[in-house]
């Protein structure tokens, strides 16, 4: 068996697939296999023979009674698959029923333009498979509208697309452009199947495939490997299957489908950027109806660059709209138009006109800051007594430089540009007429990373060159600081209401305790000092903390930061203060004066008892305890096999002369004294 016969058998196997019928009749009654016509080629030219537009032998009986569309076509496996999918499956029938139900909205509009353009009436089903007659449909590739125009393709045929207006979604304007596009494709190719393939894949993709395989036949290009995109090979069969269903609605059980009301409206003329909500209130309609009749208005508002604009309202609401008292006063313009510049943010515009950012977002329908690109016209409310906010010290941007302020070359000036959403190194290099590598050398930025909004870039420009559509900052308009300098920390933390302090860790200090004490998170302390949040702090370790400036004035914070004399429990020492010398202590057994460490002061707590003379040198280990908890239980010292070494009592631990001897006789096994240790928490 050759490859042609194997492919023919595979096509027959696909065409013989059966699925249940949604109308309850079960599988098709015809059990005879479907045999597609054999591929025969001319001996001399090798061109494929033209197929007769009749169902292949062995197809179900209902296919032989179908009324065919006016467009010439051939039968292939995809066409048979789509026909059986829409005819025999419930899912396919539901999709087809929803399309024919929504077809009632724009059927009269599209068919009238098809007649005016002398195009086949069956081309209305192109809009059905493209958008399902939903004017707001948006594909993953960015195509939109009834005819799924891309932004660039729509501009070629006169469809405007910007921040405020998208004529691709307007049924009237997009249908007019769609008729021109289909007529141009048919004029170029002269055949509807290949013209519809170009409508789906693009003119360039189809012509490239035709040159590669040296044929202009659509059905032949679908059979070649890497000929046309797979979606394009199924696009024309899908259109033909829907067109056949439209000519045979009774066979496809579509006679009971009730079409939706026709897209009908009245037209009014308004002046100024009026919102659809206000027009709906005057016309007695809902905002949903206004958006359905005016899908091209992306922000539910008339574009501000139109002096007068025609708005569609429901049929019969025009008289009520014109008769409403105060309509002219309500529609009067109270807004100014501001065109966004490069490097300008919404906060800058709000500060310039003395308003709030939330007001601008609501007025202009801003969903994301990435929608704002240079040149976008923004509406700004005009208030009679609105005063523009003056720039304070906090409003001055803080620009961090890697080194000292650079000196511009001779004949050039230094300016600062603040990056906005969507800016790239390549786009800014084209804007400033400089090289990409120069921007990278002037600034500490990476070439393979995106620019974060708010990042300041240093740019050197000729003195005579001006950029009126770019927002620049002069060095005197900002606070220039060098990174890691004292001025940098002072200004950076002052804007956040923080103060930078240096703290020397005490014994038993932990990250958790410091976070509670200074109202910081353990992660913040670790990030500032470049340590792990699970690190164990050592006594005397220096830590840098960013403390709230308001809390620094509290008594509790002053008590935490107070430098005390180092002792056994709180070893805190300030490097600028000399260490205190121990006072001389007179021993009770001798008159000689010896230097001993002073005992710590205990206020409100019992003093530590002196250890006995015969007590071993081993001291009980204490743990960190909170204030007010019970005393640590006495711990027994494990007995040692060897005899303990004789310990000489130190002058500090020597007992009083009148002290009574200990009643314990075993010198090895003795209970430790209970230590009444004050809490280390200050």
């Amino acid at each position: 068996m050759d490859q042609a016969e194997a492919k023919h058998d595979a096509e027959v196997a696909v065409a013989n697939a059966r699925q249940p019928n949604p109308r309850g009749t079960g599988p098709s009654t015809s059990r005879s296999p479907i045999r597609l016509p054999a591929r025969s080629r001319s001996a001399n030219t090798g061109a494929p023979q033209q197929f007769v537009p009749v169902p292949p032998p062995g197809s179900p009986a209902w296919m032989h009674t179908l009324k065919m569309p006016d467009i010439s076509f051939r039968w292939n496996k995809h066409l048979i698959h789509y026909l059986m999918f829409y005819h025999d499956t419930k899912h396919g029938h539901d999709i087809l029923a929803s399309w024919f139900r929504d077809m009632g909205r724009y059927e009269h509009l599209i068919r009238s333009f098809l007649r005016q353009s002398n195009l086949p009436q069956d081309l209305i089903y192109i809009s059905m498979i493209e958008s399902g007659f939903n004017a707001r449909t948006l594909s993953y590739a960015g195509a939109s509208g009834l005819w799924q125009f891309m932004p660039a393709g729509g501009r070629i045929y006169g469809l405007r697309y910007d921040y405020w207006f998208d004529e691709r979604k307007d049924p009237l304007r997009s249908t007019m452009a769609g008729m021109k596009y289909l007529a141009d494709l048919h004029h170029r190719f002269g055949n509807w199947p290949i013209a519809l393939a170009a409508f789906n894949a693009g003119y360039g993709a189809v012509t490239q495939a035709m040159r590669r395989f040296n044929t202009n036949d659509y059905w032949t290009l679908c059979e070649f490997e890497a000929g046309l995109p797979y979606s394009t090979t199924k696009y024309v069969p899908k259109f033909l299957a829907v067109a056949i269903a439209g000519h045979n609605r009774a066979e496809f059980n579509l006679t009971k489908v009730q079409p939706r009301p026709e897209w009908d409206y009245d037209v009014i003329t308004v002046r100024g950027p009026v919102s659809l909500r206000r027009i709906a209130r005057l016309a007695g309609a809902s905002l949903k109806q206004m958006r359905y009749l005016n899908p091209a208005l992306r922000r539910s508002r008339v574009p501000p660059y139109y002096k007068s604009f025609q708005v569609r309202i429901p049929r019969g609401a025009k008289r009520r709209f014109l008769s409403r008292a105060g309509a002219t006063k309500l529609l009067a313009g109270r807004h100014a138009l501001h065109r966004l510049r490069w490097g300008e943010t919404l906060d800058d515009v709000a500060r310039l006109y003395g308003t709030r950012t939330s007001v601008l977002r609501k007025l202009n329908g801003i969903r994301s800051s990435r929608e704002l690109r240079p040149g976008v016209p923004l509406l700004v409310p005009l208030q009679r007594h609105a005063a523009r906010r003056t720039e304070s010290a906090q409003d001055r941007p803080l620009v961090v430089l890697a080194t000292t302020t650079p000196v511009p070359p001779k004949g050039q000036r230094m300016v600062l540009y603040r990056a906005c959403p969507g800016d790239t190194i390549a786009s800014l290099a084209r804007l400033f007429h400089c090289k990409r590598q120069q921007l990278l050398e002037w600034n500490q930025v990476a070439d393979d990373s995106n620019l974060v909004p708010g990042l300041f870039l240093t740019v050197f420009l000729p003195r005579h060159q001006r950029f009126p559509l770019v927002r620049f900052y002069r060095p005197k308009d900002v606070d220039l600081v060098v990174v890691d300098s004292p001025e940098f920390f002072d200004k950076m933390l002052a804007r956040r209401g923080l103060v930078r302090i240096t703290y020397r860790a005490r014994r038993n200090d932990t990250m958790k305790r410091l976070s509670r004490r200074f109202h910081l998170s353990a992660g913040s302390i670790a990030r500032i000092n470049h340590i792990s949040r699970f690190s164990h702090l050592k006594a005397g370790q220096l830590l840098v903390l960013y403390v709230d400036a308001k809390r620094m004035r509290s008594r509790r914070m002053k008590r935490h930061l107070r430098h005390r004399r180092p002792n056994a429990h709180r070893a805190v020492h300030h490097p600028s203060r000399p260490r205190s010398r121990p006072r001389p202590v007179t021993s009770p057994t001798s008159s000689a004066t010896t230097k001993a460490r002073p005992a710590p002061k205990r206020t409100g707590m019992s003093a530590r008892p002196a250890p006995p003379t015969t007590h071993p040198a081993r001291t009980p280990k204490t743990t960190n305890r909170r204030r007010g908890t019970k005393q640590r239980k006495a711990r027994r010292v494990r007995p040692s096999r060897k005899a303990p070494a004789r310990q000489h009592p130190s002058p500090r631990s020597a007992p009083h002369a009148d002290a009574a001897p200990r009643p314990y006789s075993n010198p090895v096994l003795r209970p430790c004294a209970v230590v009444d240790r004050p809490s280390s928490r200050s």
Side-chain angles (χ1 to χ4, degrees):
M1 181 182 294
D2 57 354
Q3 295 183 358
E5 293 179 356
K7 184 175 181 180
H8 177 73
D9 293 342
E11 293 174 350
V12 170
V14 172
N16 285 333
R18 292 291 184 270
Q19 297 196 28
N21 196 324
R23 294 170 291 181
T25 58
S28 177
T29 56
S30 176
R31 297 295 181 179
S32 59
I34 300 176
R35 294 191 177 274
L36 297 177
R39 299 192 312 167
S40 61
R41 296 181 179 272
S42 175
N44 297 329
T45 62
Q49 292 182 352
Q50 294 294 330
F51 290 175
V52 180
V54 295
S59 59
W62 57 269
M63 285 191 183
H64 293 272
T65 61
L66 296 177
K67 183 181 178 182
M68 299 304 168
D70 300 333
I71 298 177
S72 61
F73 67 95
R74 303 177 192 173
W75 289 85
N76 66 352
K77 60 179 181 180
H78 295 307
L79 176 57
I80 295 176
H81 170 73
Y82 275 116
L83 284 175
M84 298 180 66
F85 173 69
Y86 293 136
H87 186 273
D88 295 341
T89 63
K90 183 179 185 303
H91 182 55
H93 179 268
D94 293 342
I95 293 176
L96 207 60
S98 64
W99 285 348
F100 278 93
R101 187 181 299 110
D102 295 337
M103 184 179 176
R105 296 174 173 173
Y106 309 108
E107 182 178 9
H108 177 73
L109 172 70
I110 298 176
R111 290 191 183 276
S112 62
F113 278 103
L114 288 172
R115 285 191 296 268
Q116 295 177 10
S117 304
N118 295 324
L119 297 176
Q121 292 291 313
D122 291 333
L123 292 181
I124 188 176
Y125 300 108
I126 290 293
S127 178
M128 176 179 287
I129 65 175
E130 286 283 354
S131 62
F133 295 107
N134 185 3
R136 292 183 175 272
T137 301
L138 182 66
S139 69
Y140 69 93
S144 180
L146 290 179
W147 303 92
Q148 291 292 286
F149 275 100
M150 295 293 290
R155 291 190 183 98
I156 295 175
Y157 289 93
L159 299 180
R160 183 167 186 167
Y161 173 71
D162 55 19
Y163 177 81
W164 291 95
F165 203 40
D166 187 2
E167 286 188 325
R168 299 177 302 163
K169 297 181 180 180
D170 187 87
L172 183 63
R173 296 282 299 169
S174 64
T175 301
M176 296 171 60
M179 299 302 104
K180 295 179 182 178
Y181 189 26
L182 290 171
D184 289 348
L185 291 176
H186 185 263
H187 179 72
R188 291 181 180 182
F189 295 103
N191 187 1
W192 278 117
I194 199 69
L196 297 180
F199 188 87
N200 175 255
Y203 176 79
V206 173
T207 53
Q208 185 179 6
M210 293 167 64
R211 295 191 188 102
R212 183 185 299 120
F213 296 98
N214 198 26
T215 179
N216 60 354
D217 185 69
Y218 167 78
W219 308 101
T220 305
L221 289 174
C222 292
E223 297 177 359
F224 288 124
E225 180 181 343
L228 291 174
Y230 180 69
S231 59
T232 306
T233 61
K234 300 175 65 176
Y235 182 79
V236 177
K238 184 178 181 180
F239 158 73
L240 293 172
V242 174
I244 291 174
H247 285 278
N248 303 270
R249 299 194 182 190
E251 181 63 35
F252 285 84
N253 197 17
L254 298 174
T255 55
K256 297 182 180 180
V257 175
Q258 297 294 331
R260 297 190 185 277
E262 185 181 353
W263 191 61
D264 199 8
Y265 53 86
D266 287 333
V267 178
I268 61 172
T269 302
V270 297
R271 294 182 179 180
V274 189
S275 65
L276 292 182
R277 187 182 301 274
R278 182 173 297 180
I279 298 175
R281 191 183 304 115
L282 295 173
S286 63
L287 181 60
K288 184 178 180 180
Q289 291 177 322
M290 297 299 299
R291 288 176 176 173
Y292 165 68
L293 295 175
N294 302 272
L297 301 180
R298 300 182 63 192
R299 311 294 166 178
S300 298
R301 183 182 292 274
V302 175
Y305 42 75
Y306 283 111
K307 295 183 178 180
S308 62
F309 189 82
Q310 290 184 346
V311 180
R312 304 184 184 100
I313 61 175
R315 176 71 72 180
K318 183 175 182 180
R319 181 176 299 178
R320 181 178 180 180
F321 175 81
L322 298 177
S323 62
R324 291 290 300 268
T328 306
K329 183 183 298 183
L330 289 174
L331 297 181
R334 298 179 181 176
H335 307 92
L337 189 63
H338 178 84
R339 197 168 294 274
L340 205 63
R341 298 182 294 173
W342 285 82
E344 195 172 38
T345 62
L346 209 59
D347 295 334
D348 300 333
V349 179
R351 188 182 303 110
L352 182 63
Y353 290 91
T355 183
R356 296 188 302 271
T357 307
S358 58
V359 176
L360 294 180
R361 287 185 176 275
K362 183 178 180 181
L363 188 62
N364 295 274
I366 301 173
R367 306 181 188 93
S368 174
S369 298
R370 289 198 168 270
E371 297 177 332
L372 300 178
R373 298 299 302 152
V376 171
L378 295 179
L379 282 177
V380 181
L382 290 181
Q383 302 175 6
R384 295 181 179 179
H385 304 287
R388 299 187 179 184
R389 290 188 296 175
T390 57
E391 192 178 56
S392 60
Q394 294 293 335
D395 295 333
R396 289 170 59 90
L398 181 66
V399 180
V400 182
L401 302 176
T403 56
T404 57
T405 305
V407 179
K410 185 177 181 180
Q412 293 185 348
R413 58 191 176 100
M414 171 187 169
V415 294
L416 299 169
Y417 175 81
R418 182 171 54 185
C420 292
D423 287 345
T424 60
I425 294 293
S427 64
L428 295 181
R430 290 192 300 267
L431 175 66
F432 300 136
H433 306 291
C434 63
K435 296 182 180 180
R436 183 188 186 120
Q437 191 62 29
Q438 289 179 327
L439 277 179
L440 298 177
E441 293 175 357
W442 296 337
N443 302 276
Q444 244 183 347
V445 293
D447 190 13
D448 55 350
S449 301
N450 297 330
L451 293 179
V452 180
L455 195 67
F456 280 88
L457 301 178
T458 303
V459 185
F460 294 101
L461 300 175
R463 294 186 179 276
H464 64 275
Q465 195 172 8
R466 293 292 180 264
F467 294 85
L469 298 180
V470 183
R471 168 72 186 277
F472 286 126
Y473 290 88
R474 295 174 297 179
K476 65 179 182 180
D477 298 334
V478 299
D479 291 337
L480 294 176
V481 293
V482 180
V483 66
D484 279 346
S485 63
E487 185 182 7
F488 164 75
F489 287 108
D490 292 343
K491 292 188 176 182
M492 181 192 67
L493 296 177
R495 292 170 179 265
R496 299 164 54 188
L498 302 176
V499 177
R500 184 176 184 267
I501 64 171
T502 304
Y503 175 78
R504 187 181 296 274
R506 307 168 185 172
R507 196 175 71 176
N508 299 328
D509 273 347
T510 61
M511 298 286 285
K512 188 176 182 180
R513 284 189 174 185
L514 293 183
S515 64
R516 290 199 305 262
R517 184 180 302 169
F518 294 101
H519 302 278
L520 290 173
S521 63
S524 299
I525 301 177
R527 177 179 54 84
I528 296 171
N529 296 274
H530 297 282
I531 58 176
S532 173
R533 58 184 304 175
F534 305 104
S535 300
H536 296 281
L537 302 180
K538 299 180 181 179
Q541 182 178 352
L542 290 178
L543 298 174
V544 177
L545 305 176
Y546 297 163
V547 187
D548 190 357
K550 296 181 180 179
R551 296 183 183 272
M552 287 291 295
R553 295 190 291 267
S554 63
R555 294 183 179 180
R556 186 175 182 180
M557 187 64 67
K558 291 179 180 179
R559 185 170 68 250
H560 290 327
L561 299 176
R562 187 170 57 211
H563 298 283
R564 300 184 180 183
R565 185 175 54 188
N567 48 46
H569 304 284
R570 294 174 180 172
V572 181
H573 173 66
H574 198 276
S576 62
R577 299 180 182 178
R579 293 185 178 273
S580 58
R581 298 180 179 179
R583 299 178 182 179
V585 180
T586 305
S587 175
T589 56
S590 63
S591 59
T593 302
T594 59
K595 295 182 180 181
R597 187 174 298 176
K601 297 181 180 181
R602 306 296 182 190
T603 59
M605 305 182 71
S606 59
R608 177 184 295 183
T613 308
T614 58
H615 194 277
R618 190 169 183 174
T619 28
K621 184 179 179 181
T622 59
T623 57
N624 189 13
R625 293 285 181 179
R626 292 185 179 182
R627 184 180 300 178
T629 56
K630 296 182 179 180
Q631 297 178 352
R632 186 177 182 273
K633 296 182 179 180
R635 185 184 57 168
R636 291 179 177 272
V637 181
R638 292 184 178 181
S640 178
R641 295 181 180 180
K642 298 181 180 180
R646 187 174 180 181
Q647 302 288 339
H648 298 280
S650 60
R652 182 180 178 186
S653 61
H656 196 268
D658 299 334
R662 305 282 296 185
Y664 305 112
S665 58
N666 191 349
V668 178
L669 186 61
R670 296 171 182 168
C672 297
V674 177
V675 180
D676 185 13
R677 180 179 176 178
S679 174
S680 62
R681 181 179 179 183
S682 56

